[in-house]
Amino acid sequence: MRAFASLAAAGLVTVGLSAPVSADPAVDKSVAAAGVYHRWPGRIITVRNTIPGEAGRIAARAVADWNNAGLRTKFKLVKFSRADVVMKLVRRTPCGSAGCADLGYLPGRQSTVWLLGNPSAPQKITDPTWYMTLISHELGRILGLSH
């Protein structure tokens, strides 16, 4: 509940559709044209957390916070590569900000949470609260919450 409540209180999330929906422009256009996004087909969304070190531990806590928010849909951290969602560090995010994620379920492909960082080294987190808020926000996008 803390993850969603803190984002909602800060005015960072609302339910609905926003753009961009995905880092893939073709997906953005088709979803925006239809005015809808897909709901997740089940109540469990598997997530592979590939983020190393302290940043990865914060990401795992953000997943746990969403699971404690009282939603029927839950995230499940897994180690296999064919998870529904992968969280990863990249040197440049597709949206140009510190983090971005696909919006909702994308049939036929793995959804992604991209976070700015060096994928080959553990990140030094100077503000864990900010980083937790960033990851929680991006997981909300995965669930289908817009800006």
Side-chain angles (χ1 to χ4, degrees):
M1 188 63 163
R2 287 180 297 167
F4 182 76
S6 64
L7 294 173
L12 298 176
V13 295
T14 57
V15 178
L17 178 70
S18 70
V21 170
S22 165
D24 181 343
V27 172
D28 279 352
K29 288 178 185 172
S30 65
V31 172
V36 298
Y37 61 90
H38 295 277
R39 292 183 183 270
W40 286 91
R43 293 184 193 243
I44 301 293
I45 301 170
T46 58
V47 178
R48 182 170 182 227
N49 180 5
T50 66
I51 302 169
E54 180 186 6
R57 289 187 292 279
I58 292 170
R61 283 199 315 267
V63 167
D65 275 0
W66 270 111
N67 286 340
N68 292 325
L71 303 174
R72 290 188 299 180
T73 300
K74 302 290 183 193
F75 292 112
K76 179 180 179 183
L77 288 171
V78 296
K79 299 209 182 283
F80 52 86
S81 61
R82 295 189 59 105
D84 299 319
V85 177
V86 63
M87 293 192 299
K88 61 184 177 180
L89 292 176
V90 291
R91 293 187 189 276
R92 185 178 315 144
T93 63
C95 59
S97 65
C100 53
D102 293 314
L103 178 62
Y105 172 67
L106 301 174
R109 70 178 266 240
Q110 187 176 54
S111 294
T112 306
V113 172
W114 296 271
L115 299 165
L116 192 60
N118 181 350
S120 60
Q123 304 302 294
K124 180 175 172 69
I125 305 300
T126 56
D127 187 348
T129 301
W130 177 85
Y131 200 72
M132 176 79 137
T133 302
L134 171 68
I135 297 170
S136 296
H137 170 87
E138 301 309 340
L139 288 170
R141 301 277 295 156
I142 292 294
L143 288 171
L145 299 172
S146 69
H147 288 125

